[in-house]
Amino acid sequence: MTLKRVLSGIQPTSDSFHLGNYLGAVKQWVELQDGHDAFYCIVDLHALTVETDPKLMRKRTLISAAQLLALGISPEKATLFVQSQVPQHNQLGWIMECLTGFGEASRMTQFKDKSQKSGTDTTRVGLFTYPMLMAADILLYQTHLVPVGEDQRQHIELTRDIAERFNSKYGKTFVVPEGYILKEGAKIYDIAEPTAKMSKSSGTGAGLIEIMDSPETNLKKIKSAVTDAGREVTFDSVNKPGISNLLTIHSALSGRTIKELENEFDGKGYGDFKSAVAEVVVEYLRPIRSKALELLEDEAHLVKILHEGAAKAQAVASKTLEGTYKNLGLVL
Ligand code: AMP
Ligand code: TRP
């Protein structure tokens, strides 16, 4: 039996991943590397859609790799690689752009939000075509499942549409992928502003829990998390977005159900609950941060893992690209 293929990507745009990246996506990456043929990609080309600094780019790509390994991605089980080291992504990206309608691309809400914020003069064309590059990332690997957070749902839908369009016009070429998006945890909110999603590019900073931050910083941030009116620790995302978000975080990291947590904190106040959440988060992240820092001390080792991953990725990607060119009638 051949294993189902899984692919996902994450941008190296910060010195640390945050809890939303982990709970919304990377935690599922780790689970899915067992029993699936998994490809995980640090999407540095996607990161170029906004202003970047070459020194930071290199550093953050390596930090991303170190964190993914520390969080549990195993190079023996999964193929971990950097997007720019596999040129087939750009090559298929162009084909994807030629299959996507301008109006269709214009409906991508992430582009609309981001470009509205920065204005048309500073918004890059690459930000507009970004979902087509993402489609190429996915389709190159004949992917069945794409574990991502809720904010990527529309991009996965677009990828499916493009794949179906291509297959029906030019013959079966791509597996039509499905998103793997959890019900709980697919959207983690900023803990200081629990109606906004936790994000490195927006949000308050005070509400962002970062994996590479010191335990002291994270402890302080969680203890000052915004809570809601009332005093009962119960899950109610409409009236109690702050407490509900903290319940989601605790549950995802401790493995206990929301119901169990509600029972445990019945009759206790928000203060006790926040201390418990802080303890769970800090103790969960402590060994991960140490492991990532240790891995970063040996850059050559990290680069070697990524090169080996890129070679494995290329073997699959070049086959799909060849099939695609052939079906399009390009002379090989
Ligand atoms: P990015 O940082 O945009 O490259 O996102 C990497 C992965 O993290 C994607 O699968 C996102 O959907 C996921 N993600 C980002 N922010 C959140 C969040 N606040 N809650 C849940 N998932 C998230
Ligand atoms: N667009 C995704 C994000 O911002 C990152 C990404 C790029 C991705 N290529 C991908 C995710 C392929 C899944 C599959 O989070």
Side-chain angles (χ1 to χ4, degrees), residues 8-34:
S8 195
I10 192 158
Q11 301 190 59
T13 41
S14 147
D15 290 337
S16 176
F17 295 147
H18 57 73
L19 214 47
N21 298 138
Y22 178 56
L23 296 181
V26 179
K27 191 159 182 275
Q28 285 64 255
W29 298 16
V30 176
E31 285 161 16
L32 291 172
Q33 69 183 344
D34 289 310

Side-chain angles (χ1 to χ4, degrees), residues 61-81:
T61 301
L62 294 176
I63 288 183
S64 299
Q67 286 177 94
L68 290 173
L69 295 168
L71 287 165
I73 301 295
S74 153
E76 275 88 53
K77 294 181 183 173
T79 303
L80 177 65
F81 68 105

Side-chain angles (χ1 to χ4, degrees), residues 8-13 17-26 29 43 110 114 130 147-153 185-190 196-200:
S8 195
I10 192 158
Q11 301 190 59
T13 41
F17 295 147
H18 57 73
L19 214 47
N21 298 138
Y22 178 56
L23 296 181
V26 179
W29 298 16
V43 290
Q110 196 168 60
K114 287 192 180 172
Y130 166 127
V148 283
E150 182 60 43
D151 59 356
Q152 296 301 313
R153 190 184 288 280
K187 192 161 180 187
I188 299 296
Y189 296 87
D190 185 298
K197 83 165 181 180
M198 188 176 282
S199 158
K200 50 204 167 198

